[in-house]
């Protein structure tokens, strides 16, 4: 008998869609959109639909594996858990808990995935990863400026006269915003896209601005300079709600329009037009994550925030500097789930530098790496170094659904459940403010077990089993405890399946900010507290003709590695035959400069690595720009991260993935 259940997409994505999942004979047979979901309204993407293929794939891991003499052998859970627990215990006794590194990322939006932290707190500590390859520098930037990173509610875009899509690949990564754009366009809003790639969102825009990668901060400086020189700034907002404006003026005075036009490679006419867009508000700005993955990434987001503030588009309906929406995730009791009150010895490595730090770790050295919800050998920058690091430790444990690049180098691989095989609640702190419930709908294949079951079993063997002695309902209730006063309970969520969280629809509308001064801070006191320069400043990207001409003469092209259309990072490549080769996309000028035709076999390279693939020409892309979508598996040609740099961005918590120069040659 067929039955349809409501569920949620667990994938790391802006949209956090509601699902209708059809189950027949204990098997998921179809994943559709839930038409009743107030935001996602029945529309989902192929990545979500393919969770059926993923769940039923014959390639799923179904039994624990142990590598013996270089070859994986199937073992029992009993053996796997006993051996791993014994190794952890020995390591803790001999070297201390920080000789274990927990490597993880965001591959699953389930609330209970946060219980990994609870495990390591009670283990006594761990070496943990801080910052975020994804959006660390932008979040830090908005925290400096506003005190937090909040977005307007999805509906509020209807109040915008202009919508600026600044470095966000909306049609590909945020499909419900794309739909909203098409709707507001019909009712008269003007859409502007600023991006080095002429993407599907640019195609529906009234105006497309092709920017030189990494130069957006300077463009924001140019627009602010124009607004102020023409007396088009919002004086009342600046006077009443900001600090540090004089420092901003000092910065703007350091640049001439000529210099700005030359270095951003944007015409004065376009700059002026953008200033008019910001003056003639309400103008909403949807800031993407791509352009903060540079050595000046935090600085770029700070300058865009400053522009939105100077033009009076903060705290008003139809405005906003929309980047993250952390007010969503902050409604859950993370510290209770993670047992943050528990004393533990914590050592921190940044996400970006994990490879380097593992190799160089002393007192103690890293003896074990435990990977959950991540695929670092594909997704973390500088793959060759990450591979060296992960291969160097005595024991690597990977929990996953498939034998990924990371799992392949592991000593133990533990098979885990997919969204439909476990119960959890799901949300994304990115776009909308609904939390979705997802019940366990089917049994997992073979012996696959949830992450939570694995933590529970290991905790028991390591002597702190009582910390996991809660039912799933009890853990979910713990996570929802702060929401009780708003009438949001597990009982209601199970019944209604999705509930709106109490967030601000128009953040900062009160004029009060969460910074130390209570104002929007052009000059950040948080930064200064950290001993960093809090003044607005302009920094160049690290790998560019302007900052490193010698490197740029050897490697003249900018390599972007944006998110793939049909896969969530590395999660779908092995399921879709059409994705199983490397495509190297290049701008038209590179093609003619290097006499490369579409379909040619080409190689890109720099000092960190190289990658071979098939050339594809990107129409209207910014000159000297190359793109290879991230996420490709080694067996299908390899990850673009073989070329990307592993440094921290300017404010320390983000990545510099796109701040990457390469050269290209035709193979043969
Ligand atoms: N299909 C799909 N959707 C996804 C994901 C996925 O893997 N696949 N991943 C999800 C996740 S985890 C995230 S973080 C989001 C990311 O969502 P987005 O921010 O939309 O995606 P990115 O691929 O990071 O890059 C966004 C855009 O930045 C542009 N860009 C790069 N450099 C610059 C620059 O210097 N200036 C400007 N103005 N633009 C620049 C790129 O050309 C690209 O169009 O997407 C989510 N949605
Ligand atoms: N070059 C380049 N690199 C990038 C980016 C880029 O734009 N360019 N984007 C970066 C960004 S924004 C992000 S967010 C990261 C994402 O990096 P990751 O989160 O590491 O990437 P994913 O491929 O989504 O997922 C990793 C693994 O988690 C597994 N997994 C899924 N669900 C579960 C679960 O419930 N439990 C367990 N144990 N495993 C699970 C999947 O099968 C997959 O193998 O990549 C970053 N890397
Ligand atoms: S990947 Fe994103 S857009 Fe696609 S179904 Fe999941 S949440 Fe929705
Ligand atoms: Mo991300």
């Amino acid at each position: 008998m067929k039955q349809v259940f409501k569920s949620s997409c667990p994938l790391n994505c802006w949209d956090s869609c509601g699902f209708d999942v059809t189950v027949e004979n204990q098997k998921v047979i179809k994943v559709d959109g839930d038409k009743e979901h107030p935001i996602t309204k029945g529309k989902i993407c192929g990545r979500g639909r393919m969770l059926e293929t993923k769940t039923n794939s014959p390639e799923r891991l179904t039994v624990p594996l142990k590598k013996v003499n270089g070859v994986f052998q199937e073992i029992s859970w009993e053996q796997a858990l006993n051996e791993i627990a014994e190794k952890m215990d020995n390591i803790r006794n001999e070297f201390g808990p920080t000789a274990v590194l927990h490597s993880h990322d965001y591959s699953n939006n389930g609330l209970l995935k946060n219980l990994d932290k609870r495990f390591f707190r009670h283990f006594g500590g761990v070496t943990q990863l801080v910052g975020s390859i994804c959006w660390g520098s932008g979040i830090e930037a908005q925290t400096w400026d506003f005190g937090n990173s909040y977005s307007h509610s999805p509906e509020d875009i209807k109040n915008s006269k202009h919508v600026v899509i600044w470095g966000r690949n909306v049609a590909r990564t945020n499909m419900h915003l794309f739909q909203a754009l098409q709707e507001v366009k019909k009712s008269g809003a003007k859409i502007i896209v600023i991006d080095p790639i002429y993407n599907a969102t640019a195609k529906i825009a009234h105006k497309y601005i092709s920017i030189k990668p990494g130069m957006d901060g300077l463009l924001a400086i140019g627009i602010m300079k124009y607004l102020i020189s023409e007396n088009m700034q919002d004086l009342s907002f600046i006077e009443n709600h900001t600090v540090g404006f004089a420092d901003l003026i000092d910065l703007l005075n350091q640049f001439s329009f000529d210099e700005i036009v030359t270095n951003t490679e944007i015409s004065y006419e376009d700059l002026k037009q953008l200033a008019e867009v910001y003056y003639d508000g309400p103008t909403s700005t949807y800031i993407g994550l791509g352009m903060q993955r540079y050595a000046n990434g935090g600085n770029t987001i700070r300058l865009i925030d400053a522009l939105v503030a100077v033009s009076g588009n903060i705290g008003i309906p139809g405005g906003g500097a929309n980047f993250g929406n952390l007010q969503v995730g902050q409604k859950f009791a993370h510290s209770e789930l993670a047992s943050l009150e528990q004393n533990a010895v914590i050592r921190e490595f940044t996400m970006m530098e994990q490879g380097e730090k593992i190799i160089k770790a002393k007192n103690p050295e890293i003896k074990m790496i435990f990977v959950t919800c991540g695929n670092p050998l594909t997704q973390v920058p500088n793959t060759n170094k990450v591979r060296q690091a992960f291969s160097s430790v005595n024991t690597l444990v990977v929990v996953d659904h498939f034998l990924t690049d990371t799992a392949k180098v592991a000593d133990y691989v533990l098979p885990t459940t997919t969204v439909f095989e476990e119960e959890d609640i799901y949300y994304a702190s990115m776009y909308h403010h609904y939390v979705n419930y997802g019940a366990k709908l089917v049994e997992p294949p073979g012996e696959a077990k949830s992450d939570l079951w694995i933590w529970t079993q290991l905790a028991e063997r390591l002597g702190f089993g009582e910390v996991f002695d809660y039912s799933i309902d009890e853990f979910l209730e713990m996570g929802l405890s702060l929401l009780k006063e708003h009438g949001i309970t597990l009982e209601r969520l199970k019944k209604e399946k999705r509930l709106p969280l109490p967030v601000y629809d128009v953040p900062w509308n009160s004029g009060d900010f969460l910074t130390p001064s209570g104002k929007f801070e052009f000059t950040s006191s948080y930064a200064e507290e950290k001993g960093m320069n809090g003044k607005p400043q302009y920094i160049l990207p690290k790998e560019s003709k302007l900052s490193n001409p010698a490197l740029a003469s050897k490697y003249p092209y900018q390599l972007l590695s944006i998110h793939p259309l049909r896969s969530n990072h590395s999660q779908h490549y092995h399921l879709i035959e059409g994705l199983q080769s490397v495509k190297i996309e290049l701008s038209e000028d590179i093609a003619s400069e290097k006499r490369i035709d579409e379909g040619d076999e080409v190689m890109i390279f720099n000092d960190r690595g190289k990658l071979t693939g098939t050339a594809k020409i990107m129409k209207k892309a910014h000159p000297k720009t190359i793109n290879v979508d991230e996420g490709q598996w080694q067996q299908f040609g390899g990850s673009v991260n073989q070329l990307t740099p592993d440094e921290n961005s300017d404010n320390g918590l983000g990545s510099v993935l796109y701040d990457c120069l390469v050269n290209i040659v035709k193979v043969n």
Side-chain angles (χ1 to χ4, degrees):
M1 197 186 65
K2 273 189 206 169
Q3 255 189 305
V4 179
F5 297 92
K6 300 239 176 281
S7 181
S8 172
C9 186
L11 295 172
N12 179 10
C13 172
W14 298 96
D15 295 69
S16 196
C17 292
F19 280 167
D20 272 351
V21 180
T22 311
V23 176
E24 189 178 23
N25 301 329
Q26 258 302 304
K27 198 176 158 202
V28 170
I29 59 163
K30 196 168 168 209
V31 178
D32 264 329
D34 166 16
K35 291 194 179 63
E36 286 158 25
H37 193 288
I39 305 288
T40 63
K41 295 178 184 154
K43 298 268 186 334
I44 59 167
C45 77
R47 291 165 285 139
R49 283 184 201 287
M50 286 213 62
L51 289 170
E52 178 272 312
T53 317
K54 179 173 190 175
T55 297
N56 294 319
S57 168
E59 287 169 44
R60 278 281 297 277
L61 295 168
T62 54
V63 276
L65 302 175
K66 177 185 181 179
K67 201 177 272 163
V68 182
N69 300 325
V71 183
F72 280 122
Q73 290 182 355
E74 297 187 355
I75 57 170
S76 68
W77 273 107
E78 202 53 31
Q79 184 187 345
L81 294 164
N82 287 345
E83 289 183 13
I84 293 166
E86 193 189 332
K87 282 178 198 288
M88 292 184 89
D89 200 26
N90 291 342
I91 291 169
R92 182 171 57 180
N93 292 339
E94 197 174 337
F95 308 100
T98 56
V100 178
L101 173 101
H102 179 214
S103 179
H104 59 98
D105 212 322
Y106 297 134
S107 67
N108 184 308
N109 278 341
L111 180 67
L112 298 186
K113 298 295 159 182
N114 294 294
L115 290 167
D116 53 359
K117 295 188 191 68
R118 183 183 194 84
F119 175 85
F120 285 109
R121 280 276 155 176
H122 291 275
F123 176 63
V126 70
T127 297
Q128 69 184 25
L129 300 175
V130 291
S132 162
I133 304 180
C134 175
W135 61 356
S137 50
I139 294 291
E140 181 76 354
Q142 293 217 316
T143 307
W144 292 6
D145 298 339
F146 299 93
N148 212 323
S149 180
Y150 293 170
S151 285
H152 287 223
S153 74
E155 288 85 3
D156 184 60
I157 196 172
K158 293 185 184 130
N159 298 313
S160 304
K161 203 163 164 187
H162 296 96
V163 183
V164 179
I165 302 294
W166 202 326
R168 196 189 293 194
N169 199 358
V170 176
R172 186 184 279 204
T173 66
N174 188 184
M175 66 177 289
H176 297 92
L177 176 57
F178 189 63
Q179 272 190 294
L181 284 181
Q182 288 168 309
E183 281 160 27
V184 297
K185 189 181 170 188
K186 275 193 209 132
S187 31
K190 295 278 181 289
I191 296 162
I192 298 93
V193 168
I194 309 174
D195 203 296
I197 298 180
Y198 182 68
N199 53 29
T201 318
K203 284 182 190 150
I204 69 154
H206 296 90
K207 174 90 189 164
Y208 166 60
I209 308 255
S210 173
I211 186 156
K212 183 174 165 60
M215 300 311 288
D216 303 82
L218 191 59
L219 174 61
I221 288 177
I223 304 170
M224 284 190 275
K225 193 175 169 76
Y226 185 88
L227 286 171
I228 289 163
S229 67
E230 296 297 316
N231 219 2
M232 289 156 75
Q233 74 278 41
D234 184 337
L235 276 177
S236 153
F237 182 81
I238 294 167
E239 271 166 28
N240 297 315
H241 300 295
T242 72
V243 293
F245 187 61
D247 292 334
L248 180 69
I249 296 290
D250 282 349
L251 175 71
L252 304 185
N253 287 338
Q254 290 167 28
F255 297 91
S256 69
F257 283 118
D258 279 350
E259 203 178 335
I260 293 167
V261 164
T262 308
N263 290 343
T264 57
E265 300 182 13
I266 284 172
S267 70
Y268 184 71
E269 263 319 298
D270 280 350
L271 190 152
K272 200 171 130 187
Q273 214 176 325
L274 283 168
E276 274 150 15
V277 161
Y278 275 95
Y279 176 66
D280 184 25
T283 297
S284 53
T285 307
Y286 286 85
I287 306 172
L289 311 188
M291 77 193 148
Q292 42 99 61
R293 300 192 187 111
Y294 291 82
N296 62 354
N299 185 71
T300 297
I301 304 303
R302 290 205 73 205
L303 290 167
I304 295 173
D305 289 348
L307 163 61
V308 180
V310 162
S311 60
N313 283 296
I314 300 287
I316 60 164
N322 302 286
F323 178 74
N325 201 8
L326 298 190
Q327 53 179 342
V328 176
Q330 286 164 356
K331 298 290 172 225
F332 299 95
H334 288 286
S335 60
E336 212 184 331
L337 284 174
S339 279
L340 290 189
E341 81 295 342
Q342 174 73 22
N343 267 337
V345 196
I346 304 286
R347 173 167 64 176
E348 293 181 339
F349 291 172
T350 66
M351 281 296 293
M352 280 53 67
E353 295 171 310
Q354 55 187 289
E356 179 80 18
K357 295 277 185 182
I358 291 165
I359 294 167
K360 295 207 173 135
K362 291 252 164 8
N363 302 322
E365 288 175 13
I366 298 295
K367 298 290 177 190
M368 175 188 273
I369 303 178
F370 208 118
V371 182
T372 57
C373 293
N375 183 9
L377 258 71
T378 311
Q379 294 306 123
V380 173
N382 203 343
T383 312
N384 295 324
K385 199 185 278 174
V386 176
R387 180 178 291 278
Q388 188 197 338
F390 278 62
S391 313
S392 73
V393 296
N394 293 351
T395 309
L396 173 61
V397 181
V398 174
V399 184
D400 209 306
H401 305 128
F402 293 96
L403 207 56
T404 62
D405 290 349
T406 310
K408 280 192 185 130
V409 298
D411 300 290
Y412 293 90
V413 182
L414 306 180
T416 196
T417 42
T418 68
V419 53
F420 307 126
E421 298 155 359
E422 61 190 20
E423 182 185 4
D424 209 335
I425 62 178
Y426 301 87
Y427 62 89
S429 295
M430 295 179 83
Y431 181 54
H432 67 75
H433 57 290
Y434 277 78
V435 55
N436 302 332
Y437 174 73
K440 177 174 171 179
L441 303 179
V442 294
E443 288 303 321
E447 297 169 24
K449 299 286 184 193
S450 70
D451 292 81
L452 176 54
W453 183 87
I454 297 169
W455 296 130
T456 305
Q457 291 293 318
L458 288 173
E460 215 167 82
R461 286 166 175 77
L462 285 160
F464 52 95
E466 72 286 356
V467 174
F468 281 89
D469 198 9
Y470 293 83
S471 67
I472 289 180
D473 275 9
E474 283 167 339
F475 271 133
L476 289 174
E477 271 160 6
M478 190 188 284
L480 289 167
S481 57
L482 306 174
L483 287 157
K484 224 176 185 163
E485 57 173 309
H486 300 280
I488 297 175
T489 58
L490 183 60
E491 197 187 349
R492 241 189 98 197
L493 194 50
K494 282 191 182 186
K495 202 159 128 223
E496 297 176 42
K497 309 298 182 202
R498 42 218 66 323
L499 289 172
L501 297 169
V503 298
Y504 299 106
D505 288 340
V506 179
W508 321 119
N509 187 240
S510 64
D512 297 328
F513 293 86
L514 294 170
T515 53
S517 65
K519 304 207 171 191
F520 178 93
E521 296 194 353
F522 292 113
T523 296
S524 163
S525 29
Y526 275 141
E528 287 174 353
E529 275 168 27
K530 290 187 174 183
M532 298 170 80
N533 183 1
K535 285 188 183 169
Q537 47 175 336
Y538 182 68
I539 309 171
L540 285 168
K542 191 153 184 237
E543 298 197 358
S544 95
K545 199 167 74 184
L546 296 169
S547 52
N548 192 342
L551 188 74
S553 76
K554 202 166 155 201
Y555 302 120
Y557 308 118
Q558 180 94 35
L559 175 66
L560 307 182
S561 47
I562 67 172
H563 294 200
L565 174 65
R566 297 171 70 200
S567 182
N568 234 63
H569 310 296
S570 65
Q571 295 203 45
H572 294 70
Y573 282 88
H574 58 308
L575 304 172
I576 304 174
E577 227 182 281
L579 294 184
Q580 294 167 359
S581 64
V582 176
K583 285 181 197 70
I584 298 181
E585 301 179 292
L586 45 136
S587 56
E588 289 164 305
D589 65 306
I590 303 177
S592 67
E593 207 168 286
K594 293 281 191 173
R595 296 171 195 277
I596 295 169
D597 292 319
E598 180 121 353
D600 283 348
E601 188 81 346
V602 292
M603 182 177 79
I604 51 173
F605 59 98
N606 61 19
D607 292 339
R608 289 174 289 265
K610 59 182 194 298
L611 186 68
T612 304
T614 310
K616 194 163 172 253
I617 295 166
M618 288 190 287
K619 295 249 156 59
K620 290 208 228 176
H622 199 273
K624 310 248 182 289
T625 306
I626 297 179
N627 174 59
V628 178
D629 286 354
E630 50 109 336
Q632 187 60 276
W633 292 39
Q634 188 67 35
Q635 70 203 73
F636 307 127
S639 167
V640 64
N641 280 321
Q642 294 171 103
L643 294 106
T644 54
D646 56 355
E647 281 134 56
N648 293 309
S649 63
D650 47 356
N651 50 15
L653 296 169
S655 64
V656 301
L657 292 166
Y658 302 178
D659 203 338
C660 179
L661 289 176
V662 296
N663 209 334
I664 186 167
V665 287
K666 244 191 330 195
V667 179
N668 301 329

